[in-house]
Amino acid sequence: MSRDDPSTERDVDVLSTVGNAEFTEGPPDGPVTLTDSAPVSPSVINRWNPREVSLTVLFLAPAVVGLGAFVIFPLFQAVYLATMGSDILGNPTRFVGLQHFEELFTPDFGAVLARTAGFTLMVVVAGVVLPMALAVPLSQRLPGMRVFRTLFTLPFAYSASAASVVWLLMLNPAMSPVNWLLQLVGVTAPGWTTDSGWALVTVAGVTVWMVSGFNLLVLAAGLAGLDEQVLEAARIDGASGVRHFTGIVLPMISPSLFFVIVTTTLTALQSLGQPQVMTDGGPNGATSTLVYSIFNQAFHNNNSNYGLASAQGLVLLVVGVLLAAVQFGVIERRVHYR
Amino acid sequence: MPTPLGRTKLGLVAVAVAAATAVTACSSAASSGGSGAGGDALSAPAANALDGKGETDITFWHAMTGTNGETLKKLTDQFNAANQGKVKVTLAFKNNYDDTLSAYKNSLKGGELPDLLQVYDVGTQFMIDSKATVPAQSFIDVDSYDVSGIQPNIAGYYSIGGKLYSMPFNTSMPLLYINKDAFTKAGLDPNKPPTTLDEIKADAEKLTVKDGSGNTTQYGFGASLYGWFLEQWTAVANASYCNPDNGRSGRATAANFASDNNVKLLTWWKSMVDQGLALKLDSDTKNGDSAFVAGKDAITLESTGSLGDFTKAGFQVGTGFYPKINASDSGGPIIGGASLWIVGKGKDDAHKRASWEFVKFLESKDSQATWHTSTGYFPVSKAALDTDVDKQWVASKPQFQTAITQLQHTKLTTATQGCLFGVMPQVRKAAENAMQAAVLQGKDPKQALTDAAASLTQPIKDYNDSVK
């Protein structure tokens, strides 16, 4: 978020100015010099100077090693595994070509993708709108608002499995407090985890509850950073109510909003703990999303079908990149950075 | 300030990184390595293997929590104290059965293997195929160990081709549980639990209670759609769960889900739910347990392991034999639980022998009596039931007598031995999917069972091909 914060950028500018000043205008025997022999102006440093090259390599190495070990290598490993059949321990044993990818062209996997899309959509829409609806009243400067803000942000501190277990108890078919409350107002509770229509909504609901805390924090910070002068100018110009919100406030916090949409999309896309703990993908696969399916193939029930799991993992990669392309290519055009 | 283009690229990279990290999880666990030890690593050493070796330290991977874990610790301390300077057992807790098996699989690919590990019933065929353990039979033969003291039905599950591969340890059985108070209130005999589907239905009609506004406050029946139960119904019907012969005479090649009995069972279950006689539950047995304890249903199915929790409920709990689909069914339930596997790969004779000594201690009648009375698991040793401490315990928990009688009444056949599959954990999950599809989604039971069995064809074939 700091990249959108003008104060930080100003700080950076000041720092770099100071740095340059020391470098160019400092006394020759000052503490800050780059070379130990004759002073050299930065403009004449040879880029291919062995010393420069080795320094560059040195500085780049940590990032490249990390990226290589944890991103590039696994990516190639996944491609490799996706073309291999494995033994009962999961060791790749024989080349199977595109067989695992062919196995993806089934109605079952199509249903997994459709389910993942539906789940992600539910989580992103509700997980952004709901915190937004809470953040607006919470940004009013009233006594006691800090307490509420803290309370509403708390779900952020829950791990996926802890949140899932808590909600599993809340929605327990036998003694659910939620069902009890619903009954008091005359509503018959649905089968939260047993009805296949509801199960995905239930798991999505718990995910929304989990992401809301963080999203609320980000959106509230965005609202708190609004420029009073702009708001006042808008008010003087006659903007109020909905128009004030959609025309002034929303564009001004659009960087925060965009950030929240991107992170929530990724969180939803990668949800595993919630379907695993709450429904174990059931009833009959009704909550089996893409990442659950990968987990199921690779590790669940003593499975070790790493080939198919890797192929599905590559699908996840493609889906993630496509979504990001859409978000950064289309939605970000409408984001106003100051 | 970066240009919008730069930001877009950065964002794309960030997302690609995030997605690729998800892929990492699959590939990092698949790296190969490790080498097999010689063939004789998997045979039992002689009784004198520990002589002159000083103290042999062995590690035992287990998945016992709570009271079960404490009792195991107590027994282990007892063994260590009696074998000071000779054998020292260190317990390593591995969360649950699935994690224990995953850890074992990863160690086989290059890591520190335990000397002894506890593996759930459905992992049996996989453990044999992992080719890294010493069959218990090998020790039994070397020591001329008397196995007639082990309950034959329990040993039966872990015996393949007449050879006992692992030593049964914590053993449970399914039972039918009833709320006796609810039975009395409904005018039913609390000492006569239902024994068939028809009887459950007849009782459930009387046990289902609605309040003034039409909401059901007590359902007659309610059981989790747990895959293990389908295995039990099949064995009680004396039918094979997988073909041929439950995998007992050769590798099983197909799951036998779509039998007439199973279709009848799921049709019945669905109609019970539709008529409001049965509570709609998922496959999570914790939900099923809490529903019964809360009095939300009056008849349920659970393992003997839940008896302890159930007797703490605010009503009298009764037990009955696991019910039959048809009155004429002549089989009996299969035992479940876990057994002890001695690792041979990369282990010297002293370690293998030390593991076996510890296993023998755990199997002894006194250890089993302690185990049984502290945890509620069924004792593996026949003689344990005759010890004073055990007799007193059963007298105070008469509900457990049902389990003892049930086991003694069950003939040992390939049906009641239970199905062996390398992919048995997946088979159990597929059965669960069929049960959920039929009961919760209203799918035609025959179709649901057929589809679930078909979904296993490829995994079974892949597994069997890779161990040829």
Side-chain angles (χ1 to χ4, degrees):
Chain A
M1 285 311 295
S2 64
R3 66 173 191 214
D4 306 321
D5 188 344
S7 67
T8 315
E9 271 172 23
R10 225 173 290 129
D11 289 349
V12 170
D13 285 344
V14 170
L15 273 177
S16 57
T17 317
V18 171
N20 285 341
E22 274 183 40
F23 183 70
T24 50
E25 292 162 24
D29 54 347
V32 186
T33 47
L34 259 184
T35 51
D36 46 9
S37 57
V40 179
S41 158
S43 58
V44 298
I45 291 177
N46 183 358
R47 335 177 32 180
W48 300 112
N49 176 325
R51 193 186 152 76
E52 286 300 304
V53 170
S54 53
L55 264 180
T56 309
V57 169
L58 193 71
F59 286 134
L60 278 177
V64 170
V65 167
L67 206 66
F70 297 109
V71 179
I72 314 235
F73 168 72
L75 186 60
F76 282 99
Q77 178 82 351
V79 173
Y80 164 72
L81 284 175
T83 60
M84 299 296 285
S86 54
D87 67 5
I88 60 171
L89 297 178
N91 294 318
T93 48
R94 62 193 186 283
F95 181 73
V96 296
L98 295 177
Q99 188 200 314
H100 291 310
F101 292 96
E102 281 164 26
E103 284 172 45
L104 298 180
F105 289 94
T106 58
D108 280 350
F109 190 67
V112 167
L113 287 181
R115 212 174 286 132
T116 310
F119 176 81
T120 307
L121 195 69
M122 276 192 271
V123 172
V124 172
V125 171
V128 173
V129 171
L130 200 72
M132 193 65 181
L134 286 170
V136 172
L138 278 178
S139 67
Q140 311 299 317
R141 293 192 175 86
L142 294 173
M145 275 306 167
R146 274 163 167 258
V147 178
F148 283 103
R149 206 176 301 166
T150 311
L151 281 179
F152 284 127
T153 314
L154 269 184
F156 170 41
Y158 275 74
S159 73
S161 45
S164 304
V165 169
V166 168
W167 277 99
L168 205 54
L169 289 174
M170 299 278 282
L171 302 173
N172 181 310
M175 338 175 266
S176 154
V178 175
N179 291 1
W180 179 75
L181 281 175
L182 284 176
Q183 207 175 7
L184 285 187
V185 295
V187 179
T188 309
W192 298 111
T193 54
T194 53
D195 190 302
S196 44
W198 273 101
L200 194 66
V201 177
T202 304
V203 176
V206 173
T207 312
V208 168
W209 181 82
M210 283 171 53
V211 298
S212 289
F214 179 68
N215 291 358
L216 176 69
L217 198 68
V218 172
L219 292 173
L223 286 171
L226 288 186
D227 193 336
E228 275 300 326
Q229 288 178 336
V230 178
L231 295 181
E232 207 180 324
R235 258 192 298 273
I236 292 168
D237 284 346
S240 64
V242 176
R243 177 109 173 87
H244 182 253
F245 181 72
T246 56
I248 310 294
V249 176
L250 220 48
M252 279 173 75
I253 62 160
S254 57
S256 306
L257 200 58
F258 181 65
F259 173 79
V260 160
I261 290 174
V262 172
T263 52
T264 309
T265 307
L266 287 178
T267 310
L269 208 56
Q270 300 187 1
S271 300
L272 173 63
Q274 302 89 306
Q276 188 202 344
V277 173
M278 295 197 65
T279 56
D280 198 14
N284 191 25
T287 51
S288 169
T289 55
L290 185 48
V291 175
Y292 176 85
S293 172
I294 295 171
F295 161 73
N296 190 33
Q297 290 296 336
F299 310 111
H300 204 22
N301 298 315
N302 197 28
N303 241 333
S304 44
N305 195 349
Y306 294 128
L308 186 54
S310 298
Q312 295 187 352
L314 291 170
V315 172
L316 177 65
L317 176 72
V318 171
V319 169
V321 169
L322 281 180
L323 271 179
V326 170
Q327 290 182 333
F328 282 89
V330 180
I331 303 178
E332 210 205 16
R333 284 173 203 275
R334 305 190 58 93
V335 173
H336 296 259
Y337 294 103
R338 271 177 292 159
Chain B
M1 187 186 277
T3 64
L5 180 69
R7 217 194 295 268
T8 307
K9 276 185 181 161
L10 264 180
L12 280 174
V13 170
V15 174
V17 165
T21 316
V23 178
T24 319
C26 312
S27 47
S28 61
S31 56
S32 57
S35 55
D40 62 345
L42 306 186
S43 58
N48 61 5
L50 282 169
D51 296 351
K53 295 274 183 183
E55 188 181 79
T56 306
D57 288 355
I58 59 168
T59 310
F60 175 28
W61 286 2
H62 71 96
M64 298 277 91
T65 53
T67 316
N68 302 344
E70 285 160 27
T71 312
L72 180 60
K73 174 93 176 46
K74 200 175 110 188
L75 287 169
T76 308
D77 289 346
Q78 214 177 312
F79 176 81
N80 284 341
N83 290 278
Q84 244 170 15
K86 200 171 156 204
V87 180
K88 183 162 180 285
V89 181
T90 308
L91 295 176
F93 174 60
K94 293 280 164 184
N95 291 330
N96 53 47
Y97 292 142
D98 268 324
D99 287 357
T100 311
L101 204 55
S102 299
Y104 170 73
K105 272 162 86 171
N106 278 328
S107 313
L108 277 179
K109 292 190 282 184
E112 189 84 8
L113 279 163
D115 297 281
L116 185 65
L117 76 158
Q118 182 189 28
V119 177
Y120 53 14
D121 47 4
V122 280
T124 304
Q125 183 67 51
F126 169 82
M127 286 303 289
I128 296 172
D129 294 331
S130 75
K131 296 196 175 78
T133 59
V134 186
Q137 190 68 46
S138 184
F139 285 102
I140 291 166
D141 293 345
V142 168
D143 282 18
S144 306
Y145 181 84
D146 184 13
V147 287
S148 65
I150 304 177
Q151 290 283 356
N153 289 66
I154 299 177
Y157 188 97
Y158 303 102
S159 300
I160 297 95
K163 215 168 145 184
L164 191 61
Y165 274 84
S166 58
M167 290 300 266
F169 179 48
N170 53 319
T171 306
S172 50
M173 243 181 301
L175 286 176
L176 176 128
Y177 288 90
I178 62 164
N179 179 335
K180 282 183 149 186
D181 294 4
F183 265 63
T184 312
K185 216 179 281 175
L188 294 164
D189 184 354
N191 295 316
K192 213 171 150 284
T195 60
T196 62
L197 295 186
D198 290 343
E199 286 182 27
I200 294 177
K201 186 174 179 188
D203 288 356
E205 277 165 358
K206 292 183 182 154
L207 289 162
T208 301
V209 182
K210 293 190 181 207
D211 65 8
S213 48
N215 291 316
T216 308
T217 52
Q218 177 183 289
Y219 289 88
F221 177 72
S224 303
L225 296 167
Y226 181 28
W228 188 52
F229 293 149
L230 197 69
E231 294 160 32
Q232 300 298 344
W233 296 99
T234 307
V236 170
N238 211 12
S240 277
Y241 194 67
C242 52
N243 292 331
D245 277 342
N246 262 349
R248 297 286 171 174
S249 56
R251 284 214 180 260
T253 50
N256 189 21
F257 286 170
S259 65
D260 291 345
N261 270 328
N262 289 348
V263 172
K264 182 179 174 184
L265 169 72
L266 293 188
T267 309
W268 170 86
W269 207 319
K270 174 81 169 84
S271 78
M272 289 287 286
V273 168
D274 287 348
Q275 292 170 41
L277 299 174
L279 176 63
K280 223 177 182 181
L281 286 165
D282 53 21
S283 298
D284 190 337
T285 52
K286 285 198 285 296
N287 284 338
D289 291 359
S290 65
F292 181 69
V293 171
K296 195 83 180 168
D297 50 41
I299 305 172
T300 194
L301 305 171
E302 243 302 7
S303 130
T304 43
S306 295
L307 181 59
D309 283 342
F310 285 180
T311 48
K312 285 178 204 144
F315 53 81
Q316 289 283 310
V317 173
T319 50
F321 285 1
Y322 195 82
K324 302 168 176 180
I325 295 175
N326 311 294
S328 59
D329 289 348
S330 60
I334 313 163
I335 63 101
S339 66
L340 306 173
W341 292 81
I342 296 168
V343 176
K345 185 179 171 183
K347 303 291 177 189
D348 64 13
D349 285 354
H351 281 83
K352 286 186 277 184
R353 175 49 68 172
S355 300
W356 173 243
E357 293 300 324
F358 181 55
V359 168
K360 276 198 293 190
F361 166 80
L362 290 178
E363 303 286 324
S364 71
K365 72 174 181 357
D366 290 328
S367 299
Q368 281 296 312
T370 308
W371 184 243
H372 174 208
T373 56
S374 308
T375 65
Y377 280 118
F378 200 96
V380 172
S381 148
K382 281 194 225 169
L385 288 171
D386 297 327
T387 59
D388 288 341
V389 53
D390 210 291
K391 277 181 177 162
Q392 276 167 20
W393 188 84
V394 174
S396 73
K397 286 206 171 22
Q399 295 98 330
F400 197 85
Q401 186 58 45
T402 313
I404 298 172
T405 318
Q406 176 173 258
L407 189 72
Q408 286 163 351
H409 276 69
T410 301
K411 278 185 299 236
L412 188 62
T413 64
T414 51
T416 59
Q417 260 184 307
C419 161
L420 275 185
F421 257 132
V423 291
M424 195 60 195
Q426 282 166 264
V427 174
R428 190 171 278 177
K429 175 73 184 169
E432 233 157 62
N433 281 342
M435 294 164 87
Q436 293 172 345
V439 179
L440 300 178
Q441 296 185 320
K443 197 168 165 181
D444 173 62
K446 176 120 192 162
Q447 195 60 47
L449 289 160
T450 311
D451 288 354
S455 76
L456 291 165
T457 312
Q458 193 63 38
I460 293 169
K461 190 180 170 298
D462 286 348
Y463 184 98
N464 288 352
D465 284 351
S466 70
V467 292
K468 254 176 196 161

